[in-house]
Amino acid sequence: NEQRRPGGKWSTTADPEITQSGGRASIRCSTQGASIAYRTSKDGSENGAWKLYTQPVAVARGETIQAKS
C-alpha cells in the first residue's frame, strides 16, 4: 500500500533515548513525527502494558523503563 509504504519501503525510526532525573524519565526520538511507547517494571519483566508517551513519566526507585519508537 503506497500510503503506508511510500516507494514500497518500510519506514524506520531511530531508537528512543531515555533521560532520567529526579525520579522522572523523559523520552525522545530523533525521527521527526515518531510515536514513542514505554512501559515500566519493578521486577525487570517484559509483561507490562505499553503506553503512548506524551510527557515525562514518574519512575520509582528500583523500577525500570523501556521505550520503543
Side-chain angles (χ1 to χ4, degrees):
N1 182 326
E2 187 68 21
Q3 288 181 318
R4 291 190 286 180
R5 294 180 291 175
K9 297 180 182 179
W10 288 100
S11 297
T12 57
T13 58
D15 290 334
E17 300 171 17
I18 302 172
T19 305
Q20 293 187 352
S21 177
R24 300 195 72 72
S26 296
I27 310 170
R28 66 175 295 276
C29 178
S30 62
T31 304
Q32 185 175 344
S35 295
I36 300 171
Y38 73 94
R39 65 180 171 191
T40 58
S41 171
K42 290 187 182 197
D43 59 8
S45 72
E46 296 187 0
N47 297 328
W50 290 99
K51 299 173 186 152
L52 183 63
Y53 177 79
T54 58
Q55 62 186 14
V57 178
V59 180
R61 172 172 266 162
E63 199 169 38
T64 59
I65 184 167
Q66 296 175 300
K68 63 183 178 179
S69 54

